C-alpha cells in the first residue's frame, strides 16, 4: 500500500523566524500516521534549523534543488553531500520553475536524480506540460518523455523509491486546478511509463503526487484517485493551518 506524501513547497518565501514558527506548529500538530508523510521543502538558508527542529518528529525536510556535482567551482550552488550532511531527506528536482527560469533540462534532472540516490536523498522529480502542449494533445508524450529521461540509469530499487510529482504548468499558482480525473489520467500514464521501463511491481511502488493549486478544499478528491498518492503544494502550504489540513487529508 502506497503512502500519501504531502510536500509543501515554500518556493522563495518566508524568513527564518516565520519558517521556524511554521515548523514548530506542524511538529506539534501533525498527525502520527503510517498512511501519510509530511515534507516541508524549504529554502537552503533554513534547512539546518528546520532539520534540528524536526529531529524527533515524523516531519521531513527537503531542499528545493541541488547541483549534481559533489563539489568544485560552482559558485552559488549546493551539493547533494551538503544536504545529506545536514540531515535533509528529500530534494525537489526539475520543478517547472527551475526548468523555465533556470535552464534545467531533462539531462540535468537525470544527473541530479542519480546524484540524489548516490547520497541517500529521495528525489521528488517534477514533470508537467504547458497549456500549449495540453491543447496540442502532447501531454502524455511530453510527460512520458520527461519521466523516462529522469529515470534513465536508475536501478529498479531506486525507481521504486523515486517520488514523481505531476504538475501541469497551467495549474501552478493560477488557482486553476486540473480536475481530479485529468490529474489521475496523467498519473496513470506515468505509472504505465514507469512499468514499461521497469516492471509492474516497481511501478506499483512509485509514489505519484499531483501539484497545481492544491488546497484543503480539493485535496480529498485528488487523493481519492487511483494513481494519486499525495501532493506537492505551493501557495496552500505557506500557512501552517492549511498545510496541516492537507496532511490530515492524507490519513
Ligand atoms: O511545487 C508546487 C507547485 O508549483 C504548485 O504550486 P501551487 O500549489 O501554488 O499551485
Amino acid at each position: 500500500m502506497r503512502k500519501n506524501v504531502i510536500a509543501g513547497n515554500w518556493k522563495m518565501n518566508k524568513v527564518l523566524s516565520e519558517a521556524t514558527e511554521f515548523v514548530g506548529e506542524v511538529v506539534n500538530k501533525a498527525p502520527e500516521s503510517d498512511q501519510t508523510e509530511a515534507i516541508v521543502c524549504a529554502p537552503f538558508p533554513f534547512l539546518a534549523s528546520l532539520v534540528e527542529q524536526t529531529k524527533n518528529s515524523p516531519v521531513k525536510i527537503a531542499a528545493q534543488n541541488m547541483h549534481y556535482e559533489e563539489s568544485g567551482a560552482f559558485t552559488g550552488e549546493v551539493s547533494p553531500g551538503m544536504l545529506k550532511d545536514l540531515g535533509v531527506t528529500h530534494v525537489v528536482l526539475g520543478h517547472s520553475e527551475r526548468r523555465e527560469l533556470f535552464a534545467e533540462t531533462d539531462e540535468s534532472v537525470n544527473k541530479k536524480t542519480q546524484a540524489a540516490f548516490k547520497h541517500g536523498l529521495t528525489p521528488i522529480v517534477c514533470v508537467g506540460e504547458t497549456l500549449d502542449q495540453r491543447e496540442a494533445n502532447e501531454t502524455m508524450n511530453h510527460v512520458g518523455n520527461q519521466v523516462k529521461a529522469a529515470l534513465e540509469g536508475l536501478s529498479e530499487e531506486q525507481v521504486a523509491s523515486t517520488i514523481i510529482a505531476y504538475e501541469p504548468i497551467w495549474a501552478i499558482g493560477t488557482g486553476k486546478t486540473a480536475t481530479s480525473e485529468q490529474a489521475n489520467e496523467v498519473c496513470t500514464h506515468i505509472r504505465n511509463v514507469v512499468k514499461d521501463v521497469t516492471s509492474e511491481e516497481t511501478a506499483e511502488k512509485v509514489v505519484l503526487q499531483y501539484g497545481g493549486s492544491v488546497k484543503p478544499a480539493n485535496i480529498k478528491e485528488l487523493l481519492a484517485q487511483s494513481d494519486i498518492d499525495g501532493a506537492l503544494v505551493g501557495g496552500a502550504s505557506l500557512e501552517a493551518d492549511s498545510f496541516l489540513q492537507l496532511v490530515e487529508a492524507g490519513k
Side-chain angles (χ1 to χ4, degrees):
M1 182 80 178
R2 296 183 298 267
K3 268 189 186 178
N4 283 319
V5 180
I6 311 296
N9 178 14
W10 288 350
K11 308 189 179 182
M12 197 175 73
N13 288 293
K14 297 192 187 292
V15 293
L16 182 59
S17 57
E18 293 166 337
T20 52
E21 191 186 331
F22 176 113
V23 168
E25 199 174 332
V26 169
V27 163
N28 282 333
K29 299 186 185 161
E32 284 273 354
S33 161
D34 292 344
Q35 197 35 48
T36 183
E37 185 161 278
I39 305 175
V40 174
C41 312
F44 290 131
F46 311 155
L47 293 175
S49 302
L50 302 188
V51 166
E52 183 63 28
Q53 241 188 318
T54 50
K55 236 179 10 205
N56 299 313
S57 103
V59 178
K60 304 271 183 359
I61 301 299
Q64 299 173 8
N65 178 41
M66 65 176 195
H67 200 284
Y68 50 80
E69 292 288 355
E70 313 224 345
S71 61
F74 302 101
T75 302
E77 289 292 322
V78 168
S79 75
M82 292 174 191
L83 297 178
K84 183 66 185 171
D85 182 56
L86 287 184
V88 165
T89 53
H90 295 69
V91 58
V92 178
L93 299 176
H95 191 281
S96 60
E97 287 148 18
R98 299 228 45 101
R99 292 181 192 255
E100 275 184 359
L101 306 171
F102 301 97
E104 192 81 84
T105 62
D106 281 345
E107 194 192 348
S108 60
V109 173
N110 176 249
K111 284 184 179 169
K112 291 178 180 193
T113 305
Q114 299 204 30
F117 280 115
K118 197 166 166 201
H119 290 270
L121 297 163
T122 300
I124 301 175
V125 174
C126 303
V127 296
E129 81 286 5
T130 61
L131 189 56
D132 283 353
Q133 286 168 325
R134 174 157 285 263
E135 286 173 352
N137 268 329
E138 287 167 8
T139 299
M140 299 303 187
N141 196 30
H142 176 71
V143 169
N145 286 341
Q146 285 183 316
V147 169
K148 277 188 229 157
L151 301 180
E152 212 177 295
L154 298 187
S155 68
E156 288 220 12
E157 200 185 328
Q158 289 169 335
V159 172
S161 43
T162 301
I163 297 173
I164 301 176
Y166 166 56
E167 300 206 312
I169 295 170
W170 48 271
I172 296 178
T174 57
K176 205 171 165 187
T177 325
T179 64
S180 37
E181 289 76 21
Q182 278 175 323
N184 195 52
E185 192 187 16
V186 182
C187 285
T188 302
H189 175 65
I190 292 174
R191 204 175 298 288
N192 284 332
V193 169
V194 174
K195 185 172 116 185
D196 287 348
V197 297
T198 56
S199 64
E200 182 154 11
E201 200 194 341
T202 298
E204 283 305 315
K205 290 181 185 156
V206 175
V207 167
L208 300 182
Q209 295 177 317
Y210 167 76
S213 299
V214 175
K215 42 189 176 287
N218 60 22
I219 184 125
K220 283 207 172 124
E221 195 185 324
L222 287 160
L223 294 182
Q225 300 297 312
S226 58
D227 281 304
I228 301 179
D229 318 309
L232 182 59
V233 189
S237 75
L238 290 171
E239 297 297 330
D241 265 5
S242 160
F243 182 64
L244 283 162
Q245 284 181 54
L246 298 169
V247 175
E248 191 70 34
K251 276 207 302 188

